[in-house]
Amino acid sequence: MKMAFLLSALLACAPLAARADDTAAPLRFVLIPKTVHPWFDKVNTGAHAAADLLGRLTGRRIEIEYRAPQTADVSSQNDIIERAVATHPDGLILDLLDEKGNHATMQEAVDEKVPMTVFDSLPPEGMDVTAVGADFCEQGTIAAQRLASLIEGKGEVAIMMGVPTAPNHSLRAQCERTAFARYPGIKVVATGIDNDSIETAQKQAAAIMQAHPDLAGWVACDASGPVGIGQAIRESGRTGKVREVGLDNLNDMIQLIRDGVADSSASSRPEMQGYWAVVAAWQRALGQKTPKYIDTGIDVLTSKNI
């Protein structure tokens, strides 16, 4: 396994002082995503894979506590962060819902000397926090450019936002708009907001397509959006008439591609994000410096490679 090899190399190169002692207590990391969601289940799977491997390689057990808000609500997420900080874990692994809205609770973690790592997001400006994830602007640009090619550079398009305050969602939307602006024949006529809910995305997409009967295509800014969009396209009988390029690798998204409802999807590798977020958190817990950013890359999923 490539990631296992890299971890072994990392351990071999680490200073002796940073290596775990067989008799040491377990390291405990609290993983707090944006909300309950299948995408974050994949992140959690990757996090546990890294924890298991590090435990085997070092002899020191690593525990992952997964605490997800029931909805994408900043107040709920902040409450979970505050409760986690109060237990003094060895590290927090966070996906921010709102850079500004999460700042105060993150500062509490800093004050309590609880190390932090963020994934699928960007840290508040000025905070020394490692970020793990894909290039969100590149991901949005890939999706927009693929759609532009599908519709031959002309027609009405729509963008489905996830959580508008989330740094990664807003950046994808911004870069999708920039990509579309390069095509004089393309016009963005609507923007939906799904708040990371497939059901909400489906309803928003259905309403937007009804209001814009000439709509040529869709892109999204989160993992829920393209699934809801695909459902709305299929239910309206517009498969092949309204084109879609999605994001990420949820099973429902992959099925939409197989069924021909969506053309493709730009995936930010959630399992890998969880994996390397734990590696960074482990290094921080041992007092080691970590990179400012770990880029996990992007996979373009099509009917040819899924």
Side-chain angles (χ1 to χ4, degrees):
M1 179 181 179
K2 188 175 181 180
M3 289 190 286
F5 173 79
L6 290 172
L7 270 186
S8 298
L10 180 63
L11 281 166
C13 296
L16 289 175
R19 301 195 185 173
D21 181 27
D22 288 349
T23 62
L27 290 170
R28 182 171 61 90
F29 301 136
V30 181
L31 173 59
I32 305 174
K34 286 185 175 78
T35 187
V36 173
H37 196 286
W39 192 88
F40 295 115
D41 292 340
K42 290 176 177 285
V43 173
N44 193 28
T45 296
H48 277 86
D52 291 345
L53 182 58
L54 284 169
R56 292 197 303 272
L57 291 173
T58 67
R60 185 174 187 180
R61 190 158 57 92
I62 295 177
E63 300 173 348
I64 306 295
E65 293 183 10
Y66 184 69
R67 305 186 185 183
Q70 288 300 310
T71 59
D73 175 74
V74 179
S75 297
S76 297
Q77 189 183 48
N78 281 338
D79 182 63
I80 293 173
I81 295 172
E82 288 175 349
R83 290 173 183 270
V85 170
T87 69
H88 296 282
D90 296 291
L92 291 177
I93 301 173
L94 310 173
D95 185 0
L96 307 184
L97 274 166
D98 186 332
E99 179 184 346
K100 294 180 179 178
N102 291 126
H103 190 278
T105 49
M106 293 182 71
Q107 187 59 50
E108 289 180 25
V110 172
D111 295 341
E112 293 295 324
K113 296 181 171 49
V114 176
M116 286 179 290
T117 303
V118 301
F119 70 96
D120 189 44
S121 188
L122 298 170
E125 188 173 350
M127 279 195 171
D128 181 22
V129 177
T130 292
V132 179
D135 184 325
F136 308 121
C137 185
E138 180 185 3
Q139 189 182 14
T141 300
I142 288 171
Q145 288 180 337
R146 287 187 69 87
L147 180 61
S149 178
L150 286 171
I151 63 175
E152 298 180 343
K154 56 182 181 295
E156 297 180 351
V157 299
I159 297 172
M160 183 67 73
M161 289 283 293
V163 181
T165 57
N168 56 334
H169 296 184
S170 61
L171 182 57
R172 287 178 186 132
Q174 176 185 334
C175 293
E176 286 166 353
R177 288 182 178 275
T178 299
F180 287 137
R182 300 190 185 106
Y183 298 86
I186 293 179
K187 181 180 180 182
V188 178
V189 296
T191 302
I193 297 175
D194 61 55
N195 286 314
D196 240 336
S197 163
I198 292 173
E199 182 181 359
T200 301
Q202 186 275 332
K203 291 178 180 177
Q204 291 261 313
I208 287 171
M209 287 191 293
Q210 186 173 8
H212 298 276
D214 295 327
L215 193 73
W218 278 100
V219 291
C221 302
D222 65 333
S224 293
V227 175
I229 291 166
Q231 292 174 351
I233 290 172
R234 179 152 45 199
E235 290 167 6
S236 66
R238 301 178 74 178
T239 298
K241 298 177 182 177
V242 177
R243 310 305 296 272
E244 178 189 8
V245 177
L247 291 184
D248 285 307
N249 62 347
L250 295 187
N251 292 339
D252 287 345
M253 184 72 249
I254 291 173
Q255 192 60 50
L256 287 168
I257 296 171
R258 287 175 174 155
D259 293 344
V261 178
D263 168 78
S264 54
S265 184
S267 172
S268 56
R269 299 174 176 172
E271 296 92 344
M272 194 179 291
Q273 289 194 41
Y275 192 100
W276 285 102
V278 168
V279 174
W282 168 70
Q283 286 279 278
R284 287 246 168 179
L286 297 180
Q288 300 301 297
K289 291 185 178 181
T290 55
K292 182 177 181 180
Y293 191 73
I294 299 174
D295 189 342
T296 52
I298 299 165
D299 291 324
V300 178
L301 307 177
T302 70
S303 59
K304 296 180 180 180
N305 62 14
I306 56 175

